[in-house]
Every structure is written in structure tokens, then in C-alpha cells.
Amino acid sequence: MPDGYDATYAQWRQDPEGYWLRAASGIDWSTPPGRAFDPAQGVYGRWFPEARLNICHNAIDRHVAAGRGDQPALIWDSPLSGTQSRLTYAALLDRTARLAGAMAARGVGVGDRVVIYMPMVPEAAIAMLACARLGAVHSVVFGGFAAAELAARITDAEPKLVLSASCGIEPGRVVKYKPLLDAALALSPHHPAGCLVLQRETWRCALQPGRDEDMAEAMDAAAPHPCVDVAATDPLYILYTSGTTGKPKGILRDCGGYAVALHHSMGLLYGLRAGDVSWTASDVGWVVGHSYIVYGPLLAGCTSVIYEGKPVGTPDAGAFWRVCAEHGVKVLFTAPTALRAIKKEDPEGKLLAGYDLSRLEALFLAGERCDPDTALWAERLLQRPVVDHWWQTETGWCITGNFRGAGLFPMRAGSGGKPAPGHVVEALDEAGRPVAPGQTGSLAIRLPLPPGCAPTLYRADARFREAYLETFPGHYNTGDAGMVDAEGYVWVMSRTDDIINVAGHRLSTGAMEEVLAAHPDVAECAVVGVKDSLKGQAPLGLVVLKAGVDKPEAVLAKELVALVRERIGPVAAFKEARVVARLPKTRSGKILRATLRKLADGEDFMVPPTIDDPVILEEIGAVLQETRPLA
Ligand code: COA
Ligand code: AMP
């Protein structure tokens, strides 16, 4: 790797094929790649088309073979259950090979889908790796989703097996996963052959005879299964994420490109090497968890911390510093919202004083836009580089960032840094022409996308083309708006679609509108993301009642909040609904959501010339000024 960001990036631009083939040498292949990219395959081309490998072998077996068997691979730190444990690479190999054996004995093979619905326990990572070992395709569903969302994912993925746990633990409550899984399986027309369930001591669940089995017993009884050789272009996982409609998109990830990109990024981006401890304080249900709790650190031979806790309240706002100090974390990666939560409770960082953070070298942030105040606060407090990097579920690793392995360039608070090798990022106008430096446009990445990015959507090439490739021919449309300045820094400011970002969680306002519209008293509705000082954004529902309904607003709001929680889940964080007489629309009937959002945030806005009746905005403004009457 040449020194410096500019030289590294220039090297990629001059010879992308050579750059990625060199990066591929960090991976063990059963059939090494003869060429990096074939533009003729797939939707926009495929990476490492003739190569073969197993990513689980690369994440575990090869490190044991190289003498790292006694090094911790995973450290589990769970203040919510009062437990800590360590799993060496040798122990991780044994547990993963046995779970793979148990799954193979139940008929799981190459290409079969397996849904994983588990909390932040080491078994969640073991489950993912065991699927990879068999060449099966995992689909992890985040625990904060409701049964209906889990059912939708089961219906789409058609898993042969479901791997789950009796419960998760949230502050003050036990989240009973198994009843949610039972409800989802009752809702879905697809019936998996069986379920392996991890019984947690916090709450043990009933197992349905003939369908459910105890995961630990099945693993103990199973013979270890070897790694199965697969094509680099074979799918590794499907991760469902919010699109603009209620139907989630199944983002597909391949094996070879992902292995190369993640392994490469561990050194280039995070500056981590084998033996280092990395902690990504996210959840295995999100892409960040897939890439940097599980696959990235293990591919690089690092130790990865799995944390079942919160930034505050478990037990206090010093929790992150405790974990860093206790486990010798070198790089911490989290979402800005977690820092805002810490900053709110401990603005002066008094709780930092008791901990030895001498081994912590950098803090990375992603998942949502980081407000400059929070980035600068963290930098002052930690006296370490704070790197904001921009990502999406679709891309699997960062689009832009700052690169410790090449030597950091000066940071600009509020910017997501500069493009990672593999990406040419442009801000485009509506006609697809690049706007001038510093001007806002739609952020797009020139095709092809680099290794690690989604080659397509699961069983939905046409939807992939339509959602990402058709707006700006020759480009992938990120759905984010922002600018590229004269020095090449990229500034990501907002979404161009109806996706909102709540506490680093990507949510579809369209999906919430579908739920509100299903309430018998609601004639029409709009959900917009309004500013929230902790979570970045929070959803606000505006509903118009059907004629003749005279239910008190507070009663209806309570019902709507409960309905969203039941249909989408607590993760939607939908807490507020207001009744309005009418919604502002264009003359062609389109609800003016962007205007509503600005109105709710108290921002200045131009009354759109296409609005059918501007008085509506004044009416809604007045409603939002009022405090809601109590039920
Ligand atoms: N299983 C079940 N429920 C979950 C859950 C899970 N895995 N994760 C969150 N929830 C629930 C929460 O308990 C909460 O429920 P409540 O309405 O009963 O309080 C709800 O979903 C909303 O959660 P969240 O938006 O996360 O808010 P919070 O108040 O629990 O916590 C923060 C606020 C800032 C501490 C928290 O959002 C956080 O740590 N965020 C980091 C985000 C992150 O890691 N993003 C990944 C991208 S990098
Ligand atoms: P997800 O697919 O859940 O990772 O969400 C991706 C979206 O989160 C992006 O399209 C952005 O809107 C937002 N996002 C993620 N990281 C950043 C960042 N560093 N800066 C600004 N927005 C971000």
C-alpha cells in the first residue's frame, strides 16, 4: 500500500484490477482469482468470478492453523445479563463446526437460507459463521422488530431452518423472542423444517415438539462439519433493510468480494492488525454488526467485542469507557446517537476519569449524520481521532471515510471524509450532471460498485435496477443528498427519499404510513422524520380522521402508537401522532412531506407553488404548536 490517502486512491484509479487482486491476496482461496472483475456478469458486473473460497475458513480455521488458537476471537460483555465470557479461536472453531454439523444433519446445505433471530450473544456470531461454513445463506433479523416484520422476512427468504433464542434483554424488560418467533411462524405461509433455540437462563421458553430443538443440545450431539468450498459469487447473506415501501429490500452479499473488501478495510480504514481488539458497539442485526462485529475483525485475526448493553443506563454513561479499558479496545466504532446519549448524561466526561484508555487509538462513527458538536465533543474528551464514515446496508463497508492505514488526512467535523478506494462519488443534479464543488446534489457512486457491495437484491434484479441504477445511468444512486467540496470531502446531509434515521436505525416512513392507514378511524396520513436531539430524527404521524369519528386525539394517538409497535416493532420509536383537518398536497394529489417536515422542525420554507391550498400549512402549524390534550 503506498503512503498517504491520495497515493492509495490514485493507485486504485490507475489500476483497479491490480489493486483488488493485490487486496485479494489477503484471503485464502481454494481457487485463487485469475481476474478481479467481470463486467459482463450480473446486474453491473461481478467480483472474482472464477474464484472459490470459504469465508468461515478465512475467519476462523486459518487463524487456528496459523497458531492463533489460544487468542480470544470473541469477548462477550453483557451488563444486561451480568455476564462476561471469552471464546478463543480454537473454541470458536469447535462451536461453529458443531453448529454447522447440527444444521447439516437437519438438511441445510449450499444455497439454503437460514433466518437468525437472536440477541447480542456470541451464539449469534457462531450461527452466522456456521451458515457460512456450509455455504448456506443467513438472514439475520434485528430483535427490535415485531412478529409481522419477522414474518415478512421469513416469507421472502423461505428458510430451511430458523436459529433463535428464548429471549433478549433490554433495560428493565426481558424481550421474549420465542413467542415473537412463534407468532411470526403462524403469520407466514412458509414453514421451515425446524428451529434451533438457544435457551438463556434469564428466561427459558417452551419448545414445540417436532419443530423446535434446544440449540446447545443439538450442538453437543453434532459432529463438527468442515468448511464447504463455494464460488466467490455465491451469496453469503441477505440483510433486509427499509426501502420506500412497506416491503423490505433483501440486500444480497456475495462471499469473495465481501471477504476481500472487509479484510482490506480492517488495515486501510481502521488500522487494525491480527491480535488487536476491536469493538463495534452496534447490533448483529445491522450491516455494521455483520461487517465489523463478526466478519471483518475475524477475517483479520482480531479480537472482537460483543456488547449486550447500552451506552447509558447499563449502569451509567461510563459503560463504553469501562468496556474499552477492561478489554484493551484499540478502535471503537459506534453510532453518533450513542455519543449524544453519553454527552447528555455526562457532558464533561467525568466518568472517563476512572478508566485507563491508553490502548484506545481511535473512534469511528457511522449509521447517521454526525452533528459537528458531537464529533468535536468526543475528540476533545478522548484526545483521539474521531472518524465519521458514510455507509449503507447496500455497500457493506464505507463509501467515504478517513484511512488510518494510509495515514489520516485532516478531519472536517460534519463531513464523512473522502471516498474509499473503489468509489468515485459525485453530487448530481436532476439531469444526472455533476453539480459544481460545494453545491448540493444527489450523491451517486460511479459503476461498478467495488467488492463488498450488493451485487443485487435477493431474487429481485429488476427492483435493484429500478431502485438504484435507473435514476442516473452509469451510477448507483445512494438515496442520500449532499455535496463534494473542492478538496474532495463528501458531506452527507439528508435522504432524498422517505427513509428516516432514528437512533442510527434506518426506517421507512412509508411502512409506518401503511400501519396508520390500516387503523379504522384514519382516512389518510403522513409520517415525517422530525429533529430529535438524542436520536437525530423521530417519526411524527399526522392523521386525518374519517368523517364522523370524534375520538379524543390522545386516545387515538395511544392506539396508533401501539399499532406501530405491534406491526413494526419498538425499534420504530413511533411515539407521537397528531390529528389534523387536512394534509397539504400538490394539485396532482402528492402529499408535501418535505414541507411538513420543515414546518414541524420550525425551519424556514418556501410555500411550494404546486400546493393546492396554502392555508392548510397554517392550520397544521397551529396544531403542532399546541400541546396534546391528555386522554
Ligand atoms: N430487541 C428488542 N427491542 C429493542 C432492541 C432489541 N435488540 N433494540 C432496541 N429495542 C427497543 C428499545 O428497548 C426501545 O424500546 P422502548 O420503546 O420500550 O423503550 C425501542 O426499541 C427503541 O430503541 P432505541 O431507538 O434504540 O432507543 P433506546 O431509548 O432504547 O436507546 C440509545 C437510545 C441512543 C441508547 C440507543 O439507540 C443506542 O445505543 N443507539 C445506537 C444505535 C446503533 O448502534 N445503531 C446501529 C448502526 S451503527
Ligand atoms: P443503513 O443502511 O441502515 O446503514 O443506513 C444507511 C443510511 O444512513 C445512509 O444512506 C445515510 O442516510 C445514513 N448514514 C450512514 N452513515 C452516515 C454518515 N456517516 N453520515 C451521514 N449519513 C449516514
Side-chain angles (χ1 to χ4, degrees), residues 539-554:
L540 164 70
L542 298 170
V543 297
V544 177
L545 300 183
K546 284 184 183 159
V549 174
D550 63 353
K551 198 176 267 177
E553 184 185 41

Side-chain angles (χ1 to χ4, degrees), residues 145 181 285 340 348 351 369 373 389 457 494 496 499 532 627:
F145 283 119
L181 173 61
R340 287 196 296 268
E348 284 154 37
L351 291 168
R369 178 176 155 71
D373 275 1
H389 57 333
L457 295 175
S494 60
T496 56
I499 286 172
D532 184 277
T627 35

Side-chain angles (χ1 to χ4, degrees), residues 288-336:
V288 169
H290 281 60
S291 294
Y292 294 112
I293 295 175
V294 183
Y295 287 107
L298 298 180
L299 283 166
C302 295
T303 299
S304 180
V305 178
I306 298 185
Y307 177 67
E308 190 183 37
K310 300 278 172 177
V312 294
T314 58
D316 58 29
F320 272 27
W321 320 135
R322 175 194 64 78
V323 174
C324 288
E326 258 178 47
H327 305 305
V329 171
K330 192 164 172 182
V331 170
L332 165 62
F333 176 179
T334 190

Side-chain angles (χ1 to χ4, degrees), residues 367-369 388-393 480 492 495 501 506:
E368 59 179 316
R369 178 176 155 71
D388 184 8
H389 57 333
W390 170 45
W391 287 58
Q392 303 186 318
T393 305
D480 283 314
V492 184
R495 291 286 306 188
N501 199 310
R506 170 170 161 178

Side-chain angles (χ1 to χ4, degrees), residues 359-424:
R359 285 172 290 180
L360 184 69
E361 293 186 1
L363 170 65
F364 278 75
L365 299 173
E368 59 179 316
R369 178 176 155 71
C370 184
D371 52 293
D373 275 1
T374 301
L376 294 171
W377 172 82
E379 212 164 61
R380 264 196 315 272
L381 192 70
L382 295 170
Q383 298 290 307
R384 309 276 191 288
V386 174
V387 178
D388 184 8
H389 57 333
W390 170 45
W391 287 58
Q392 303 186 318
T393 305
E394 290 83 344
T395 65
W397 62 296
C398 81
I399 306 166
T400 64
N402 201 338
F403 303 87
R404 292 191 70 227
L408 291 173
F409 49 75
M411 236 80 67
R412 302 257 164 100
S415 154
K418 297 185 185 182
H423 302 83
V424 175

Side-chain angles (χ1 to χ4, degrees), residues 142-144 170 173 281-282 286 311 337 503-505 535 565 570-571 575:
F142 177 63
E170 282 291 291
R173 75 190 160 103
S282 176
W286 307 118
T337 194
H505 306 145
K535 298 191 177 187
R565 198 176 171 95
V571 66
K575 309 265 180 195

Side-chain angles (χ1 to χ4, degrees), residues 559-579:
E559 289 173 12
L560 293 173
V561 166
L563 201 61
V564 175
R565 198 176 171 95
E566 181 201 313
R567 300 269 173 91
I568 298 180
V571 66
F574 182 84
K575 309 265 180 195
E576 197 176 5
R578 302 301 307 257
V579 173

